[in-house]
Amino acid sequence: MVFALGFVLFALCITISVALHECGHMWAAQATGMKVRRYFVGFGPKIFSFRRGETEYGLKALPLGGFCDIAGMTALDELAPEDLDRAMYRQATWKRLVVMSGGIAMNFLLGFILVVILAIGWGLPRFDQPPATTIGKMSCVAQQNVDGTLQACSGAGPAQQAGLQTGDVVSAVNGVKVKTWPEFQAETQKQNGPFAYTVERDGQTLTIPVNPERVTRYPADGGPGREVSAVGVGSEYYEPVKYNVLAAIPAAGAFTGDMFVRTLQSLAQMPQKVTALWTAVTGGERDPETPVSVYGASKIGGETAERGLWNLFILVLASLNFFLGAFNILPLLPLDGGHIAVVLYEKLRNSIRGLKGLAPGAPVDYMKLLPATYVAVVIGGAYMVLTLVADIINPIKLFP
């Protein structure tokens, strides 16, 4: 039940993010004197609508986005004579840029607000985390009670006795490569006698033999215990840093800058992820760094809610808003960045014409741009479908 509620809540938050993206366009257009004819959340059949002033507001049946209809977005729009002077394509360049950037700015603002909430409520995670299989605190090996608590123990554990050090990065357990801490734990626990870790230390690769201890471990769901091997190590992990209200603002600003850079890097890698997504669809291992669809993101939201990890829920939602904002910057129609590119082209072209003593040129003919637009839509649509199928067949697993 908690998973379902978290799933629905995250999907609703995505819908709100998209709706506010369109609000960014609408409010900017209204503030600069343009006419907004319609503002709808969703697509498909209309559920209801109402009119306030010159704008019709409403909700449609399919919550897959939304739209803001600004009069005269292009010269192809049919306009009433009285609306001609307010047509968007006839406005000053700065006004058009403000309107087209409004949605992008709204997503970044939402992401920033979520990061501030995260900083105050739970703390901001650190991006400088050590590799996932880095050895942290070492201790003796304690037996576990049925209720999950650990019994008292003393002395050095097998890891310390073997010469492992805090900061060692384990790359293999008894010859089996490991990349995550759960993989490290699973391979360690299955050993039945002395074995060796392959570790990276100060630029050197070392093989360190270890003699584990056998202990009983009980699953979190209360099932029967099982005997496993243990060596007495924990992972190296930097805890999130919490801030008060005043300190959260600059900290969130710096964190947002880091996330923006990472988002741009993810965008640049999207074409390379097609192969990884196809591998996931055809039965291979799912790369956790591949993109997710709305369904996949909502599933992650449900899983984090189910485990009470609301900090991760908020972080994923903030990341999604940064991605939506950055994705819309791409200079491709029908994205906002494509319209911004057209506006900048017209401004540059008219400036050059002005230097030559010529009158401004006609607005860009969007009909000539339709082939490129269709290509972008088809490629983007195919990518979204591939991502959705991967999320259904082989979803990303944040938790073991």
Side-chain angles (χ1 to χ4, degrees):
M1 178 60 74
V2 177
F3 170 82
L5 290 175
F7 184 98
V8 172
L9 178 60
F10 198 90
L12 178 61
C13 288
I14 294 175
T15 301
I16 293 173
S17 295
V18 175
L20 288 174
H21 173 99
E22 296 301 324
C23 279
H25 293 308
M26 178 178 67
W27 292 334
Q30 291 171 336
T32 52
M34 301 180 199
K35 180 177 180 178
V36 179
R37 295 180 291 204
R38 293 183 300 162
Y39 170 82
F40 274 80
V41 176
F43 294 99
K46 181 171 66 177
I47 297 178
F48 74 87
S49 71
F50 63 92
R51 181 169 292 276
R52 178 169 295 174
E54 59 188 12
T55 305
E56 180 186 10
Y57 301 86
L59 178 68
K60 297 204 170 189
L62 301 176
L64 301 176
F67 65 91
C68 171
D69 177 19
I70 303 171
M73 283 191 67
T74 73
L76 300 176
D77 283 1
E78 293 185 7
L79 297 171
E82 63 271 18
D83 293 335
L84 191 59
D85 289 339
R86 299 176 65 191
M88 180 174 172
Y89 75 88
R90 302 185 66 177
Q91 304 304 306
T93 298
W94 72 267
K95 290 185 178 182
R96 297 168 68 186
L97 291 176
V98 166
V99 172
M100 296 315 306
S101 302
I104 297 171
M106 181 60 72
N107 283 128
F108 288 141
L109 177 61
L110 285 172
F112 176 76
I113 292 173
L114 289 168
V115 170
V116 171
I117 294 172
L118 186 65
I120 297 172
W122 293 272
L124 296 179
R126 293 176 54 173
F127 287 123
D128 59 342
Q129 293 289 346
T133 56
T134 302
I135 299 296
K137 182 180 179 181
M138 292 183 287
S139 66
C140 56
V141 174
Q143 291 286 345
Q144 188 179 41
N145 299 313
V146 177
D147 62 2
T149 59
L150 295 176
Q151 299 176 12
C153 69
S154 61
Q160 291 171 300
Q161 295 173 13
L164 282 168
Q165 298 179 9
T166 298
D168 285 347
V169 180
V170 179
S171 59
V173 179
N174 212 29
V176 178
K177 292 184 178 180
V178 292
K179 294 182 179 179
T180 67
W181 191 256
E183 290 176 352
F184 166 84
Q185 286 182 309
E187 290 300 324
T188 297
Q189 289 180 349
K190 69 172 59 172
Q191 305 304 318
N192 291 317
F195 66 98
Y197 285 127
T198 303
V199 303
E200 305 297 328
R201 179 192 298 171
D202 298 328
Q204 294 181 311
T205 299
L206 305 176
T207 300
I208 301 179
V210 183
N211 188 18
E213 294 183 23
R214 300 294 288 179
V215 294
T216 301
R217 293 289 183 257
Y218 295 90
D221 59 8
R226 62 189 181 95
E227 191 178 62
V228 301
S229 289
V231 297
V233 296
S235 63
E236 181 77 353
Y237 175 72
Y238 302 150
E239 293 293 331
V241 181
K242 293 185 69 173
Y243 299 87
N244 60 37
V245 176
L246 291 178
I249 303 298
F255 188 85
T256 296
D258 289 337
M259 288 198 71
F260 181 70
V261 171
R262 290 170 178 267
T263 300
L264 292 180
Q265 291 172 342
S266 297
L267 276 174
Q269 294 171 0
M270 281 185 67
Q272 305 171 24
K273 297 299 183 181
V274 172
T275 303
L277 285 170
W278 183 253
T279 299
V281 169
T282 54
E285 184 179 356
R286 178 71 183 269
D287 181 357
E289 298 297 324
T290 49
V292 295
S293 63
V294 172
Y295 169 81
S298 299
K299 185 175 183 297
I300 291 173
E303 291 174 348
T304 57
E306 186 177 37
R307 290 165 173 78
L309 301 175
W310 293 104
N311 55 330
L312 187 55
F313 184 100
I314 292 174
L315 180 61
V316 174
L317 186 58
S319 300
L320 183 65
N321 272 280
F322 290 132
F323 179 82
L324 287 174
F327 184 73
N328 271 284
I329 294 176
L330 295 177
L332 301 170
L333 290 171
L335 300 178
D336 296 337
H339 292 284
I340 291 173
V342 169
V343 173
L344 293 176
Y345 164 76
E346 289 183 350
K347 178 63 177 178
L348 177 61
R349 179 202 61 188
N350 289 339
S351 296
I352 295 174
R353 289 177 65 88
L355 293 175
K356 295 179 179 179
L358 301 175
V364 166
D365 185 354
Y366 273 77
M367 292 298 294
K368 294 181 179 179
L369 298 177
L370 279 180
T373 303
Y374 289 147
V375 170
V377 169
V378 169
I379 294 177
Y383 198 102
M384 292 174 61
V385 170
L386 179 61
T387 304
L388 175 61
V389 173
D391 287 336
I392 295 173
I393 296 178
N394 192 355
I396 290 175
K397 297 177 181 179
L398 294 183
F399 308 101

